[in-house]
Amino acid sequence: MKHVVAGCMLLVVLNLGFSYAYLEPILSVCKRKDPNLDKCIQDVVERIRPNVASGNYGSSNVLPKLEPVVIEKIRIERGNTFGANFSNLVIAGAGQFVIKKLKTNLDDRKINVSVILPSLDVKGKYSLNMNILVLRIAGKGDISATLNETKAILRLEYYTERVGDRDLTRFRPIDLKLKFDKARFYLTNLFNGDPTLERVGNDAINENPMVLLDEVKESFEQNLSKKFTEIANSLVKDADLDEIFPEAVGSSNETRLDQLKSAGRGIDLRKAGVISLFLCEQVWNREKAGDMKIYVVGLIAVLCCGSGYARLAPVLTACSSGDPDFEKCVKAVVERIRPAIAAGNYGEGQPKAPPLEPISIDQMAIDRGAGFRCKLSDVKIAGAGDFTMRRVKLNKSEKMFNVSVRIPTMLVKGQYELDMQILVLKISGRGDFRLDLNNTLCNMQLKYIFKDDSTVQFQPIAVKLKFDKARFQLQNLFNGDPTLGRVGNEAINQDPHVLLGEVKPAFEESLGKYFTDIANAAVAGASEQEILPP
């Protein structure tokens, strides 16, 4: 009996050490005979969306990421009527895809997927010569484009490749087709930078943006196809088909015994988990000694806890939820790990978190109709790491924290596009902006849930800002006219809360997403018991 228990223990250890050697740790499999297979796959993709965007799947492997998609060069020649070169194109927003339809055909080894890309932001360099009706448009400079509600149809086909004694899964180049809906371009330096002609040229392009989009569509499809194919193959690298789509639950004992018999002949250690469960199952079924059964179960539990991923970030210490000085404890912990929060580094084994210094926001867009339109991009916020904790309240029954902090000084810089009305003055421009904020209050509501493995995950954090003092500086108002620019900035700073009030919801939403990523990185793999012991 002791030898059987020892064998069981050894196989459990092997399982813990090798069970994730071929599929990325964050992935869960969908059984091939599942009647809801398509929904299972869709749920897995939805769950790992942030990982697809960042290329971080919880292992040491560096995989291709979807945010952003980078296209080094596109060259298109259509004779005298159209010639264009695009370079250093950066496409942001592909990670926000929404799956509309997914259909799997295991017999043909094909997966058809239809997704919507709500908003794509494209930036880069261009040189262009094209005709639109009687207008000849030419220029060389920066290009930016916003694409809304783009539809993508992906056809994935997989096959197996014999490597050694294993049949590994591979994806063929993905067939991808795009269907554009709404689009808007802005090209700088059209007609050698003449402001009037530049505006006329951009208006002509945006009168029917599909003319330009149809020309670049094929190159976009090819580059996105390459990116999606790289991601798909990196996720299943070194995995065989039985790992990705295993048989349904209820495999026969004979199958498991066959695996056991192969153990001495180079059996794949990934299967040790199945074998160990089978061995223990036989011990429990055949032995009458209850104490021995409890001993085996307890030992397996200790092994799992000792080797698993569930743990608090190394830099963190837990605060007891029953501590009468709970708020004081949390403040002390936060103060101690302030450098880790600023750097986004919570210790070895924890996922890399977005740094708090600086906060980076790719894009914010606000459209209130003719009275107010604003787009901010490449936003960098410095100073948030100097926050002061004002209040921390825990409601454990509601699984919720309420946190209030004060940020003495923040410096916000980036690019802007603005059209707004202040009394009788119509203010417009695009260029660099600077915003100085003093004594800002930030209130956050953090709610958490338990995942399937009982670890904690924070829901999107609700952020509410209360601005005190602020001052804007917008370059290139009114096409760079120095006198009108000074007047425009003075009008904005006469009451900066007019502009702040318009951009505040977008700031709160962006910061909420950012802080949620930070919070989840800090508690990745930890249970409520570890974070908030009694």
Side-chain angles (χ1 to χ4, degrees):
M1 178 62 193
K2 292 179 180 178
H3 296 298
V4 175
V5 173
C8 181
M9 291 161 49
L10 177 61
L11 287 169
V12 171
V13 172
L14 290 174
N15 176 46
L16 291 171
F18 295 93
S19 60
Y20 295 106
Y22 299 106
L23 275 177
E24 288 299 321
I26 196 170
L27 291 179
S28 55
V29 297
C30 295
K31 295 180 173 56
R32 67 182 69 181
K33 293 184 180 179
D34 186 343
N36 296 313
L37 176 62
D38 293 341
K39 184 178 186 303
C40 175
I41 297 174
Q42 188 167 336
D43 290 343
V44 171
V45 174
E46 189 63 35
R47 181 168 58 79
I48 66 170
R49 176 197 303 278
N51 311 90
V52 176
S54 66
N56 185 347
Y57 294 86
S59 70
S60 59
N61 297 326
V62 177
L63 304 183
K65 60 182 181 179
L66 194 57
E67 287 288 0
V69 176
V70 178
I71 301 176
E72 294 183 2
K73 192 171 184 181
I74 297 177
R75 181 181 178 87
I76 306 160
E77 292 290 344
R78 302 276 190 266
N80 294 328
T81 60
F82 188 92
N85 286 297
F86 301 95
S87 58
N88 300 322
L89 290 178
V90 179
I91 306 173
Q96 300 302 314
F97 62 85
V98 178
I99 298 178
K100 304 301 290 183
K101 188 177 180 181
L102 187 148
K103 186 66 177 175
T104 306
N105 187 327
L106 294 181
D107 294 333
D108 292 338
R109 297 187 173 186
K110 293 180 180 179
I111 304 173
N112 292 322
V113 188
S114 173
V115 303
I116 293 292
L117 304 169
S119 180
L120 296 175
D121 183 59
V122 185
K123 291 184 177 180
K125 299 291 185 180
Y126 84 96
S127 62
L128 176 69
N129 274 286
M130 68 179 294
N131 280 341
I132 297 182
L133 299 178
V134 296
L135 180 63
R136 181 73 174 177
I137 298 178
K140 182 178 181 180
D142 295 329
I143 182 172
S144 63
T146 302
L147 308 174
N148 294 320
E149 299 303 313
T150 302
K151 185 176 181 179
I153 305 295
L154 297 87
R155 294 180 174 87
L156 295 81
E157 183 177 352
Y158 57 92
Y159 63 99
T160 56
E161 178 183 0
R162 191 71 176 176
V163 178
D165 61 346
R166 303 178 61 227
D167 291 318
L168 302 184
T169 304
R170 301 284 187 260
F171 282 95
R172 302 189 191 280
I174 294 173
D175 181 27
L176 185 146
K177 298 297 180 185
L178 296 173
K179 184 177 180 181
F180 299 111
D181 185 5
K182 300 174 183 176
R184 187 162 188 85
F185 289 91
Y186 195 89
L187 284 68
T188 66
N189 205 42
L190 284 175
F191 303 102
N192 294 319
D194 184 289
T196 302
L197 292 177
E198 180 177 298
R199 186 176 64 253
V200 171
N202 277 290
D203 287 345
I205 291 172
N206 288 308
E207 192 69 29
N208 186 5
M210 298 302 160
V211 173
L212 181 53
L213 279 174
D214 285 344
E215 296 290 351
V216 301
K217 178 183 174 183
E218 184 177 348
S219 294
F220 264 64
E221 290 171 340
Q222 291 173 354
N223 281 276
L224 287 174
S225 169
K226 182 179 178 181
K227 175 64 71 172
F228 280 118
T229 305
E230 288 177 354
I231 292 173
N233 277 319
S234 67
L235 284 175
V236 300
K237 181 184 179 183
D238 297 330
D240 57 43
L241 201 55
D242 288 336
E243 289 179 289
I244 302 170
F245 296 120
E247 291 287 351
V249 175
S251 296
S252 67
N253 285 346
E254 287 74 19
T255 301
R256 286 189 267 176
L257 280 170
D258 288 340
Q259 293 173 335
L260 182 57
K261 291 175 183 176
S262 303
R265 298 194 299 270
I267 184 172
D268 215 331
L269 288 175
R270 292 168 292 116
K271 298 183 173 67
V274 175
I275 301 169
S276 62
L277 289 176
F278 170 73
L279 262 179
C280 296
E281 174 186 312
Q282 303 308 307
V283 172
W284 297 338
N285 285 342
R286 294 176 184 176
E287 291 299 320
K288 303 298 183 181
D291 291 342
M292 181 59 72
K293 185 189 300 183
I294 294 172
Y295 175 76
V296 174
V297 174
L299 183 57
I300 291 174
V302 170
L303 287 170
C304 288
C305 291
S307 303
Y309 294 100
R311 60 185 179 89
L312 203 57
V315 298
L316 294 179
T317 53
C319 293
S320 170
S321 57
D323 187 346
D325 292 323
F326 174 78
E327 183 174 20
K328 183 178 179 182
C329 175
V330 173
K331 288 182 179 179
V333 171
V334 171
E335 192 61 37
R336 183 169 56 79
I337 67 169
R338 185 185 294 273
I341 298 174
N345 186 349
Y346 294 90
E348 185 177 352
Q350 294 299 115
K352 182 71 174 176
L356 195 60
E357 284 292 351
I359 294 173
S360 299
I361 300 175
D362 289 336
Q363 181 175 300
M364 290 182 282
I366 308 103
D367 192 334
R368 306 269 188 267
F372 186 89
R373 290 189 178 93
C374 180
K375 178 181 175 182
L376 305 178
S377 57
D378 299 327
V379 177
K380 305 289 184 185
I381 305 175
D386 294 326
F387 64 88
T388 302
M389 298 281 292
R390 298 176 66 243
R391 186 175 64 253
V392 180
K393 297 295 181 185
L394 168 65
N395 186 332
K396 198 168 182 180
S397 63
E398 296 290 332
K399 301 183 183 66
M400 179 173 65
F401 292 90
N402 286 307
V403 182
S404 177
V405 303
R406 185 179 71 85
I407 305 174
T409 303
M410 285 192 291
L411 174 61
V412 187
K413 291 183 176 182
Q415 302 289 313
Y416 83 94
E417 296 178 28
L418 177 68
D419 278 288
M420 69 178 293
Q421 190 88 25
I422 297 182
L423 300 178
V424 297
L425 181 63
K426 181 75 171 178
I427 298 177
S428 63
R430 61 180 288 150
D432 297 330
F433 81 91
R434 173 189 175 122
L435 168 61
D436 291 276
L437 297 169
N438 295 314
N439 201 35
T440 303
L441 293 181
C442 178
N443 295 316
M444 295 172 282
Q445 187 177 83
L446 297 81
K447 292 184 177 181
Y448 61 92
I449 60 171
F450 300 130
K451 299 194 292 184
D452 292 342
D453 59 359
S454 298
T455 58
V456 168
Q457 182 178 55
F458 283 101
Q459 300 285 75
I461 294 174
V463 172
K464 293 297 179 185
L465 298 173
K466 185 176 180 181
F467 299 112
D468 184 7
K469 299 176 182 178
R471 185 164 187 83
F472 287 91
Q473 180 64 42
L474 281 68
Q475 302 292 334
N476 203 44
L477 284 175
F478 304 103
N479 292 320
D481 185 289
T483 303
L484 291 177
R486 186 175 64 253
V487 170
N489 275 292
E490 288 175 355
I492 291 172
N493 287 306
Q494 193 71 25
D495 186 1
H497 292 280
V498 173
L499 181 52
L500 279 175
E502 295 290 352
V503 301
K504 178 183 171 184
F507 260 102
E508 291 172 337
E509 182 181 358
S510 296
L511 289 175
K513 293 177 182 177
Y514 204 88
F515 292 155
T516 303
D517 290 342
I518 292 176
N520 280 322
V523 302
S527 66
E528 185 183 41
Q529 182 76 9
E530 291 174 292
I531 299 170
L532 299 168

